[in-house]
Amino acid sequence: MISRILEEVDKLTRKYKTRDPFEIAKGLNIDIIYHDLGNLKGYYYYQSRMKYIVINKNISEDLKPVICAHELGHDRLHLHFAKNFAIREFGLFDMSSKPEREANIFAAELLIDEPKFLELVLAGHTYSDIASELCVPIHLVKNKIDILKIKKC
């Protein structure tokens, strides 16, 4: 499944010439909506052939692209789940379910540019420093390390 995720991200970044999840969502005709969602970070749903990513308007600006990328992963990988109900995100980095792991891997591959990431790793930066430099949560940095290990095999 990881190879399918990597292929999907590669296909999207080549087609839309960007790693910006908002631009990609726009290109895919996915509406992005902002609401006060309380503890919910965001969700993805599909209804009447319309696709939506809903993001909590109260989360930090740095986290909004992460939520968008994660939900975009659900669109590309788990549309069959969203046809019956919304895929809701309370704990973005919940790795206990397969769909959440896959959406996190998708987000890490989409948001983290590999050459820049490798440059930071080879310069001896910590995971925390890399996360800060790339404006992503540390969990995505760990996911990217795992992705690179798989790519080398």
Side-chain angles (χ1 to χ4, degrees), residues 132-148:
S132 179
E133 175 75 22
L134 299 177
C135 298
V136 297
I138 196 165
H139 296 84
L140 290 189
V141 171
K142 292 176 182 175
N143 284 131
K144 188 66 174 187
I145 292 287
D146 293 340
I147 291 166
L148 290 174

Side-chain angles (χ1 to χ4, degrees), residues 103-113 140-141 143-144 147:
N104 288 336
I105 291 166
F106 183 96
E109 182 67 7
L110 179 63
L111 294 174
I112 300 175
D113 179 62
L140 290 189
V141 171
N143 284 131
K144 188 66 174 187
I147 291 166

Side-chain angles (χ1 to χ4, degrees), residues 39 48 58 69 80 85 87 108 116 123 130 134 143 145:
N39 292 334
S48 302
N58 298 316
H80 56 286
F85 61 90
I87 301 173
K116 177 67 174 172
I130 294 169
L134 299 177
N143 284 131
I145 292 287

